[in-house]
Amino acid sequence: MNEIPLSHILLLSTALFFIGMYGMFTRRNLITILMSIELMLNSVNINFVAFNKYLYPEQLNGVFFTIFIITIAAAEAAVAIAIIINLYRSHHSIDVESAEEMKY
């Protein structure tokens, strides 16, 4: 079975990271910004797993970092969604431009 070269995986990860960065800087919807940040975190996870597989296949450091990042991303998503729901209740919009003030 042919293995996928490391360069292909890094290219995919780089593309996902920059797509996420583009979405984060160009979108005004908070849900879309949150999804873009999650995409960037997943590209980092791909890097950790790929480097772990190709450079240190006998160790699991990259997998542990990936599990740690997934845990942090889940907590970050829960907090961000709570903030978005509260913002929608107070401003009736999730547009970034309408959320200039944090106090209502």
Side-chain angles (χ1 to χ4, degrees), residues 34 73-83:
L34 178 65
E76 172 254 336
V79 170
I81 289 174
I83 291 171

Side-chain angles (χ1 to χ4, degrees), residues 50-99:
F51 280 120
N52 186 42
K53 181 182 184 304
Y54 285 96
L55 297 180
Y56 305 105
E58 66 278 353
Q59 297 179 354
L60 293 175
N61 292 340
V63 175
F64 290 140
F65 276 120
T66 300
I67 292 171
F68 180 72
I69 289 174
I70 289 172
T71 306
I72 297 298
E76 172 254 336
V79 170
I81 289 174
I83 291 171
I84 291 169
I85 289 172
N86 278 334
L87 190 68
Y88 182 75
R89 285 181 181 166
S90 64
H91 291 84
H92 300 289
S93 173
I94 55 172
D95 189 18
V96 174
E97 297 295 325
S98 67

Side-chain angles (χ1 to χ4, degrees), residues 7-18:
S7 61
H8 288 75
I9 296 171
L10 294 179
L11 186 66
L12 171 71
S13 175
T14 303
L16 286 177
F17 186 83
F18 283 111

Side-chain angles (χ1 to χ4, degrees), residues 4-65:
I4 300 172
L6 181 61
S7 61
H8 288 75
I9 296 171
L10 294 179
L11 186 66
L12 171 71
S13 175
T14 303
L16 286 177
F17 186 83
F18 283 111
I19 289 170
M21 185 177 284
Y22 175 77
M24 189 176 81
F25 287 128
T26 58
R27 301 295 179 174
R28 295 183 179 194
N29 187 337
L30 286 173
I31 299 290
T32 309
I33 292 172
L34 178 65
M35 289 172 45
S36 298
I37 291 172
E38 295 294 327
L39 192 63
M40 292 168 62
L41 288 174
N42 283 330
S43 72
V44 172
N45 287 339
I46 290 172
N47 271 343
F48 275 129
V49 171
F51 280 120
N52 186 42
K53 181 182 184 304
Y54 285 96
L55 297 180
Y56 305 105
E58 66 278 353
Q59 297 179 354
L60 293 175
N61 292 340
V63 175
F64 290 140
F65 276 120

